[in-house]
């Protein structure tokens, strides 16, 4: 079968590999769609050796191991990037998000391949969606984790820093949560993403390279600030947050320097601000996300800006890197 491997700087190889045999609790999945994530781009900048990659994917179950009961050959399924064990004390006390034995599936997955051997427990069956839509359940689950953690209330002003797929999905989720106003902060070159911000419910887009954030939020500071950009932007989030506001961050820096930030904790303390960090591992919301897509609450199809076959994955990665004006979610399809 064909399988992709990635190494810095931006070197993609498509190799012939063996598909593997499913273990007792595993399946073979024929991959039909796999999205390129921002973390894949970071891997393209930093990976010292060739590595298999791709964790936003869906497909058709081809074969199952002898102990698999939850899914059958022929089923359509999306794959969680990680799952909780269901057995540890945290899981059994009702906190699977704090699972101490979580199965981290993503490192062994290679969604940019014709077939994948995956743990059956990580598969979520679906009907009534395209494979591309089902593949978006992974980034949508990440957005859901952030929105839930931010505790958005009716009539909140929500600011979303960034306009990538996760941020755009968070805009729509914030609207569904009852936000009265949503403001997105993005770079002016991200034209396709800015258009989608309005489509998903943003009232205003502040172009951070052209507008002053203090002026933009002077009259109406944000009750909730969702930050999907590198950690150094958290200082801006503190500046635009309302008294008693909650700042929720997800993501990581491209470098050690990007990962560092300096915050005025006294200022945060006297303004009763909270900083919460979202980390969607284990994944928790795949069934809900796919149900929301299926029932029309969120239309993810406009997110998909480009489609490429597996053989052109290198070109697809270059589009993500070099075309910020048009690239949103780049999808590898069969």
């Amino acid at each position: 079968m064909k399988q992709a491997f990635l190494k810095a700087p931006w070197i993609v190889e498509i190799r012939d590999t063996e598909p593997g045999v499913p273990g007792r609790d595993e399946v073979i999945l024929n991959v039909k769609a796999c999205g390129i994530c921002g973390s894949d781009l970071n891997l393209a900048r930093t990976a010292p050796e060739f590595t298999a990659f791709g964790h936003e994917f869906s497909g058709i179950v081809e074969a199952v191991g002898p102990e698999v009961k939850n899914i059958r050959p022929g089923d359509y399924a999306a794959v969680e990037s990680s799952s909780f064990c269901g057995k540890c004390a945290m899981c059994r006390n009702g906190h699977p998000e704090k699972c101490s034995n979580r199965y981290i599936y993503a490192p062994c997955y290679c969604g940019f391949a014709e077939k994948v051997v995956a743990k059956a427990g990580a598969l979520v069956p679906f009907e009534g969606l395209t494979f591309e839509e089902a593949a978006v359940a992974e980034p949508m689950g990440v957005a859901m984790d952030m929105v839930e953690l931010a505790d958005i209330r009716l009539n909140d002003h929500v600011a979303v820093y960034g306009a990538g797929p996760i941020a755009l999905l968070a805009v729509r989720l914030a609207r569904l949560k009852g936000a009265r106003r949503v403001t997105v902060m993005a770079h002016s070159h991200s034209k396709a993403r800015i258009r989608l911000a309005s489509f998903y419910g943003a009232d205003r887009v502040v172009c951070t390279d052209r507008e002053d954030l203090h002026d933009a939020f002077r009259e109406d500071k944000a009750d909730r600030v969702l930050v999907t950009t590198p950690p150094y932007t958290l200082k801006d989030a503190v500046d635009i947050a309302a008294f008693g506001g909650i700042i929720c961050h997800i993501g990581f820096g491209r470098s050690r320097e990007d990962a560092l930030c300096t915050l005025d904790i006294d200022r945060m303390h006297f303004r009763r601000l909270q900083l919460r960090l979202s980390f969607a591992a284990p994944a928790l919301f795949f069934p809900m996300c796919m149900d929301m897509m299926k029932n029309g609450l969120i239309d993810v199809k406009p997110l998909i800006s480009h489609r490429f076959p597996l053989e052109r994955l290198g070109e697809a990665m270059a589009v993500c890197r070099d075309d910020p004006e048009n690239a949103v979610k780049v999808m590898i399809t069969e």
Side-chain angles (χ1 to χ4, degrees), residues 123-166:
L123 268 65
V124 181
F126 68 88
E127 295 178 346
L129 297 173
T130 67
F131 291 111
E132 291 179 352
E133 289 173 305
V136 177
E138 200 283 333
M140 184 174 166
V142 174
M144 180 77 75
D145 190 271
M146 176 175 58
V147 167
E148 288 291 305
L149 187 62
D151 191 25
I152 295 170
R153 305 292 181 90
L154 286 171
N155 205 45
D156 277 346
H157 177 192
V158 177
V160 180
Y161 209 137
I166 291 170

Side-chain angles (χ1 to χ4, degrees), residues 231-236 238 257 259-265 268:
Y232 65 82
T233 57
L234 285 171
K235 182 180 181 299
D236 292 333
V238 171
E257 290 71 25
L260 300 177
C261 64
T262 301
L263 300 176
D264 186 338
I265 300 302
M268 294 178 68

Side-chain angles (χ1 to χ4, degrees), residues 48-61:
E49 303 295 337
F50 279 109
T51 182
F53 68 118
H55 59 272
E56 301 178 2
F57 63 102
S58 67
I60 302 176
V61 177

Side-chain angles (χ1 to χ4, degrees), residues 139-324:
M140 184 174 166
V142 174
M144 180 77 75
D145 190 271
M146 176 175 58
V147 167
E148 288 291 305
L149 187 62
D151 191 25
I152 295 170
R153 305 292 181 90
L154 286 171
N155 205 45
D156 277 346
H157 177 192
V158 177
V160 180
Y161 209 137
I166 291 170
L168 294 169
L169 291 165
V171 170
R172 176 61 179 156
L173 290 169
R175 280 298 193 195
L176 292 172
K177 281 283 190 178
R180 65 172 166 83
R181 181 175 174 83
V182 178
T183 303
V184 169
M185 292 161 283
H187 197 283
S188 61
H189 65 209
S190 303
K191 294 182 179 179
R193 299 181 181 205
I194 288 172
R195 289 193 297 270
L196 284 171
S198 298
F199 172 81
Y200 283 114
D203 299 280
R204 180 183 179 187
V205 175
V206 177
C207 293
T208 54
D209 56 322
R210 295 181 177 178
E211 301 178 66
D212 184 88
L213 286 181
H214 297 276
D215 290 339
F217 287 87
R218 190 180 305 279
E219 301 298 326
D220 187 13
K221 291 189 177 295
D223 303 291
R224 302 290 186 267
V225 186
L226 310 181
V227 182
T228 66
T229 45
Y232 65 82
T233 57
L234 285 171
K235 182 180 181 299
D236 292 333
V238 171
D239 291 338
I240 66 174
F243 185 89
I246 294 174
I247 301 165
C248 192
H249 178 258
I250 190 167
F252 48 85
R254 295 182 180 180
S255 64
R256 181 61 180 167
E257 290 71 25
D258 277 356
L260 300 177
C261 64
T262 301
L263 300 176
D264 186 338
I265 300 302
D266 281 348
R267 187 163 177 249
M268 294 178 68
H269 169 75
F270 290 115
R271 294 174 59 211
R272 297 182 64 93
L273 299 182
Q274 296 181 42
L275 174 60
R276 302 179 180 182
L277 303 181
S278 171
F279 180 50
L284 298 175
F285 302 109
F286 266 54
M288 181 188 298
C289 290
M290 290 194 288
D291 194 54
M292 292 174 73
M293 287 187 248
K294 185 176 178 179
N295 288 291
L297 291 174
I298 295 186
D299 182 4
V300 301
K301 292 188 291 294
L303 284 176
I304 302 168
S305 59
H306 298 75
R307 295 170 177 84
F308 292 88
L310 180 62
E311 292 77 10
R312 295 172 60 193
L313 177 56
E315 182 182 346
M317 296 285 287
V319 166
C320 294
R321 179 192 64 202
D322 300 334
D323 191 7

